[in-house]
Amino acid sequence: MKRLKNLLISNAFNNAYSSIFSILIGLLFGFVVLLFSNPSQAVDGFVIILKGGFSTGAKGMGQVLYFATPLILTGLSVGFAFKTGLFNIGAAGQFIMGAFAAVYIGAKWTFLPAPWHWIAALVGAALIGGLWALIPGLLKAYLNVHEVISTIMMNYIGMYMANHLVKLYVFDSKKNLSMNVEPSAVLPKGGMDYVFYNHLGSAKDLSTVNCGIWIAIVIAILMYIVLNKTTFGYELKACGLNPDASKYAGINEKRNIVLSMVIAGMLAGLGGGLLYLSGANGRRIKVVDVLAAEGFNGIPVALLGLSNPIGIIFSAIFISYITQGGNYLQTLDFVPEVIDIIIACIIYFSAFALIFRSILPRIIKFSKERKTKQNAADSRATADAQYQAQEDTARAADNGLDNVTETTDSTQAESAEEGDQ
Amino acid sequence: MDILFLVFQQTMFFSIPLLIVALGGVFTERSGVTNIALDGMMIMGAFTSIFFINMMQGSMKGQPLLIIAILIAVATGMIFSLLHAYAAINLKADQIISGTALNMFAPAFAIFIARMIQTNGVQQINFNNTFRISSVPILGDIPILGGLFFKNTYITTYLGFIILILSVIVLYKTKFGLRLRACGEHPHSADSVGISVYKMRYAGVMISGGLAGLGGLVFVIPTSTNFNATVSGYGFLALAVMIFGQWKPLRVLFAALFFGLMKTIASAYSVIPLLATSSIPSDVYKMIPFIATLIVLAFSSKSSQAPKAVGVPYDKGSR
């Protein structure tokens, strides 16, 4: 029981249930929205949302993981920057530039053999993403340009740049998309083809998911280790918590700002690479003047995961899961945007959850305190009773007060001890 | 000369919404609350007011309809901003989180409602543009100036300048403005002399919501004939313009005009003789406003004058 209580007030658990709490409120709100827009089908619609990716069996679940992959990485990108006190809104630009680099290497560097080709494409994606974040990092560290505004600018520059480069080098003009990458640059399935498929007659209807999800999870764990178990991560976090104090402690704060932006950018760029290197059924870069949604969705993913790399894995999968559910909602004449409303609501309440998070342990502690106080009061009452009784006996025995005071002292000390416990 | 007029008028179409929304940003940040939900508030304001125009354009048109739409946009923005104010001020929540939530909510809500209510089930809301003033009587006939300011214009342009003047007066010449700024710089001192920091911050956020809502409408009207649940990231650009303008209304005006001019060059380069003949691809032109802003920022940000307490929830008990 005591262990359970300690678990309940422990940080990690507390964080998790504040997120779960806001998820429940968000879902409830979504249900109310469905109820208002179409009462007769609201329950069915809600069930579809809850079933999420499961609606289309194993393949659907695979798709959930496929779309969760870039979200994990952009979520990590935003979350990593958050931990170091920076707000990286620029994941969209870093993501799409990384995606272009991956597609370019994937389509053009045909001299590379199979495993090296996709590895090179991913490395290229990460490097270009990092480069795209290097500029705001340098501007922030040395010229004091607010990173929010410079990353917003870099988003648009990246979007137009990627469009231009796609049109110039890897354009499929018939479909207004980027070209398919070479087979040697397609990410291997990594065992996913044994699990996530539907039967289509005798053939397998494979999901697009590939080893990218493994890579994403490994990177998330790596980020967790870097942030929590290394001096470098400690320095980065210290800069985020108090730049002046960390400067005083001898941490090179300018270098850390640049480095953490570059790492954030590399993560987002890698996310772009992982999404677009998925072969014939996967995504291709659209040449439109719209910022990459995966970049912006990294923000809610990071917030819901409380910027914890492990939490981000789960929050990305969750958001991908209900987004897939939203797509199936259209079968019931519902608009899939209801999912965005639900996610927005979850994020809004997760802002409150930070408060619940500090209140809930206080409530648990408070009830515990009240209990011990109760115990203390009880023991005090018994002590008083004993005192009374002993006084009576003492008086009756006419044996002097020394003995009585001694016993009352000891009982009081006992009750105080109980109170402390 | 015609091209000069065209460039000038186009610049106004891009600059005025930025100006209005960035001024809203100035009010909220000066009161000590970051509002990255300006984009969402623009979308909400544009959505309700354009929807109103769509419903009423059968029976009304021209300036009266636009004026009512403006009032609706302002009211919507204000009401929507209450969500942010409540989270940021009363609950002391992280202002970035609640702002992000509202930014996600607004376009989803606009698409959802539009598709649910409109009989054809599409998310675009169409409207007839009956609001353009081809030439203001008398003033439009003034040589040059008439062409620059009083032809092919909208009352929203003048409204933008009126709001600018009012902002300067309110922020620097009134008791309210002084108190608002105090709450953004040092809320505890403000509190110690009897100013209600909560009320001031509510006022700041609601003004920003109202102006952002209006900015949404002002952005959509001259540049399009339908509203598609987006303001092309103008809320974020307005945030940039606000920082660019160092949280000061007059500098915000110049920042907005600079950005608007760059944007005009990017969208209208094909009719500008000198630029049309060069072989620079269109995507490069589109990048110019953003690159130019970055460069200007790099040279002007060394001494940032952000309000000191911006983004920090006010807690009476803390020191």
Side-chain angles (χ1 to χ4, degrees):
Chain A
M1 194 60 200
K2 206 169 180 183
R3 195 178 286 169
L4 184 74
K5 251 181 202 162
N6 281 339
L7 185 71
L8 280 177
I9 51 178
S10 78
N11 244 346
F13 196 79
N14 202 357
N15 289 349
Y17 65 45
S18 66
S19 288
I20 290 167
F21 182 72
S22 33
I23 287 172
L24 289 180
I25 294 185
L27 287 174
L28 193 71
F29 186 79
F31 183 61
V32 172
V33 170
L34 290 185
L35 214 55
F36 267 105
S37 53
N38 190 348
S40 62
Q41 288 187 309
V43 176
D44 293 343
F46 194 63
V47 169
I48 289 181
I49 292 177
L50 288 185
K51 269 168 95 180
F54 282 122
S55 291
T56 47
K59 185 189 173 190
M61 219 38 226
Q63 292 309 101
V64 167
L65 292 179
Y66 174 63
F67 287 112
T69 307
L71 287 183
I72 292 175
L73 281 150
T74 52
L76 282 175
S77 168
V78 177
F80 189 84
F82 267 142
K83 282 274 186 195
T84 58
L86 297 165
F87 185 26
N88 176 23
I89 310 193
Q94 296 144 16
F95 177 87
I96 200 69
M97 285 307 288
F100 165 74
V103 170
Y104 177 78
I105 295 173
K108 296 286 173 182
W109 289 16
T110 44
F111 54 86
L112 284 167
W116 298 112
H117 196 178
W118 60 263
I119 290 171
L122 287 183
V123 170
L127 286 180
I128 296 294
L131 185 73
W132 216 245
L134 174 69
I135 300 168
L138 289 174
L139 287 174
K140 166 88 180 177
Y142 294 98
L143 293 168
N144 197 27
V145 178
H146 204 301
E147 81 276 8
V148 167
I149 153 172
S150 57
T151 50
I152 291 173
M153 297 295 141
M154 291 305 283
N155 270 346
Y156 287 96
I157 300 172
M159 171 179 82
Y160 293 123
M161 182 81 89
N163 283 350
H164 182 59
L165 293 175
V166 165
K167 274 188 270 184
L168 216 53
Y169 295 114
V170 283
F171 198 43
D172 180 348
S173 53
K174 268 180 245 153
K175 296 188 172 159
N176 208 24
L177 295 169
S178 64
M179 286 192 241
N180 268 324
V181 294
E182 292 292 314
S184 56
V186 173
L187 293 175
K189 285 289 181 190
M192 289 298 175
D193 47 344
Y194 295 115
V195 189
F196 297 113
Y197 62 88
N198 283 353
H199 290 287
L200 201 74
S202 60
K204 278 182 177 179
D205 182 16
L206 277 179
S207 154
T208 329
V209 68
N210 51 38
C211 73
I213 184 75
W214 294 124
I215 296 175
I217 290 171
V218 168
I219 298 270
I221 294 169
L222 207 67
M223 283 300 128
Y224 179 80
I225 293 169
V226 166
L227 274 176
N228 295 313
K229 309 282 177 204
T230 65
T231 321
F232 174 60
Y234 183 82
E235 282 189 11
L236 288 181
K237 280 196 292 187
C239 282
L241 288 171
N242 191 338
D244 296 330
S246 46
K247 203 169 158 189
Y248 184 71
I251 297 171
N252 186 346
E253 152 226 26
K254 286 190 177 9
R255 187 196 67 147
N256 279 349
I257 289 174
V258 176
L259 273 180
S260 74
M261 272 316 282
V262 168
I263 293 175
M266 287 176 80
L267 290 167
L270 183 62
L274 290 175
L275 183 67
Y276 288 99
L277 285 182
S278 50
N281 297 320
R283 285 259 170 126
R284 291 198 263 165
I285 300 175
K286 278 184 202 153
V287 184
V288 284
D289 288 356
V290 177
L291 291 173
E294 288 85 356
F296 276 108
N297 287 341
I299 301 172
V301 167
L303 294 176
L304 194 59
L306 296 160
S307 302
N308 178 325
I310 307 299
I312 285 169
I313 301 178
F314 291 107
S315 65
I317 292 176
F318 170 75
I319 285 184
S320 171
Y321 179 84
I322 64 166
T323 309
Q324 288 294 305
N327 291 339
Y328 304 129
L329 263 186
Q330 292 175 34
T331 53
L332 284 183
D333 250 16
F334 279 118
V335 184
E337 270 71 23
V338 72
I339 297 297
D340 289 335
I341 294 181
I342 292 176
I343 296 174
C345 190
I346 291 173
I347 300 301
Y348 188 68
F349 279 100
S350 76
F352 297 176
L354 294 174
I355 296 153
F356 292 128
R357 209 165 50 168
S358 60
I359 288 173
L360 271 176
R362 223 182 286 162
I363 292 171
I364 293 171
K365 267 185 202 153
F366 178 70
S367 67
K368 210 170 134 188
E369 263 167 30
R370 215 171 47 179
K371 237 181 217 164
T372 48
K373 261 186 203 153
Q374 196 74 41
N375 287 343
D378 288 351
S379 56
R380 207 167 295 137
T382 49
D384 283 352
Q386 274 174 7
Y387 176 79
Q388 208 68 41
Q390 271 161 356
E391 210 175 21
D392 288 351
T393 46
R395 212 171 277 156
D398 205 13
N399 217 353
L401 277 170
D402 297 16
N403 185 23
V404 177
T405 40
E406 241 179 61
T407 47
T408 44
D409 276 349
S410 66
T411 45
Q412 260 165 3
E414 261 173 40
S415 68
E417 259 175 36
E418 266 177 78
D420 283 342
Q421 282 162 5
Chain B
M1 213 55 190
D2 282 348
I3 285 166
L4 180 67
F5 290 155
L6 180 84
V7 167
F8 190 83
Q9 286 154 4
Q10 280 290 326
T11 305
M12 284 301 150
F13 296 159
F14 286 120
S15 300
I16 294 298
L18 278 178
L19 171 70
I20 293 175
V21 181
L23 286 174
V26 169
F27 274 98
T28 173
E29 297 237 330
R30 277 296 176 100
S31 77
V33 181
T34 308
N35 186 355
I36 68 160
L38 287 174
D39 203 65
M41 292 172 188
M42 284 179 82
I43 291 175
M44 291 300 273
F47 171 65
T48 52
S49 53
I50 299 283
F51 195 66
F52 173 79
I53 292 174
N54 174 280
M55 302 304 279
M56 298 302 289
Q57 61 191 1
S59 52
M60 287 172 81
K61 67 178 173 136
Q63 308 314 326
L65 180 59
L66 183 57
I67 288 167
I68 299 174
I70 286 171
L71 294 177
I72 289 175
V74 172
T76 314
M78 281 188 153
I79 293 167
F80 191 57
S81 72
L82 283 176
L83 285 171
H84 185 59
Y86 181 69
I89 300 167
N90 293 77
L91 291 179
K92 301 181 177 52
D94 189 320
Q95 295 165 11
I96 299 285
I97 301 184
S98 97
T100 306
L102 297 187
N103 274 340
M104 286 196 74
F105 179 82
F109 179 81
I111 294 175
F112 186 83
I113 300 291
R115 284 182 63 174
M116 281 293 168
I117 293 182
Q118 294 201 108
T119 42
N120 51 3
V122 295
Q123 65 189 53
Q124 286 90 349
I125 305 172
N126 297 309
F127 64 93
N128 300 326
N129 190 341
T130 55
F131 315 114
R132 201 164 66 105
I133 305 167
S134 55
S135 179
V136 179
I138 306 169
L139 292 172
D141 299 332
I142 304 171
I144 303 178
L145 277 184
L148 284 176
F149 290 102
F150 301 109
K151 278 186 174 161
N152 280 335
T153 184
Y154 292 84
I155 53 168
T156 51
T157 305
Y158 308 122
L159 195 61
F161 284 105
I162 293 170
I163 289 170
L164 172 72
I165 295 165
L166 282 178
S167 307
V168 174
I169 294 172
V170 167
L171 274 175
Y172 295 106
K173 303 286 173 202
T174 65
K175 218 161 41 174
F176 172 79
L178 184 65
R179 290 177 173 178
L180 190 86
R181 285 183 289 140
C183 291
E185 293 294 336
H186 206 303
H188 287 94
S189 333
D191 198 8
S192 72
V193 291
I195 300 168
S196 167
V197 177
Y198 283 16
K199 269 188 202 156
M200 281 295 148
R201 290 194 164 177
Y202 257 97
V205 175
M206 284 179 73
I207 292 172
S208 80
L211 291 182
L214 171 63
L217 177 68
V218 173
F219 170 70
V220 176
I221 292 274
T223 53
S224 175
T225 53
N226 66 55
F227 173 67
N228 192 9
T230 174
V231 290
S232 323
Y234 256 56
F236 289 109
L237 293 179
L239 215 57
V241 164
M242 177 196 71
I243 298 175
F244 191 178
Q246 293 284 316
W247 293 267
K248 293 195 176 84
L250 281 175
R251 290 186 65 165
V252 164
L253 170 70
F254 288 113
L257 287 176
F258 171 79
F259 198 87
L261 179 64
M262 290 295 160
K263 194 89 183 157
T264 306
I265 292 174
S267 68
Y269 70 94
S270 56
V271 296
I272 302 170
L274 189 68
L275 301 176
T277 50
S278 67
S279 59
I280 302 168
S282 66
D283 286 316
V284 174
Y285 278 111
K286 289 180 189 166
M287 278 184 243
I288 286 176
F290 306 99
I291 296 174
T293 309
L294 262 189
I295 292 171
V296 173
L297 276 170
F299 286 108
S300 64
S301 292
K302 201 67 187 171
S303 58
S304 167
Q305 298 178 8
K308 286 197 184 62
V310 71
V312 186
Y314 177 61
D315 188 349
K316 259 189 188 208
S318 77
R319 289 196 296 150

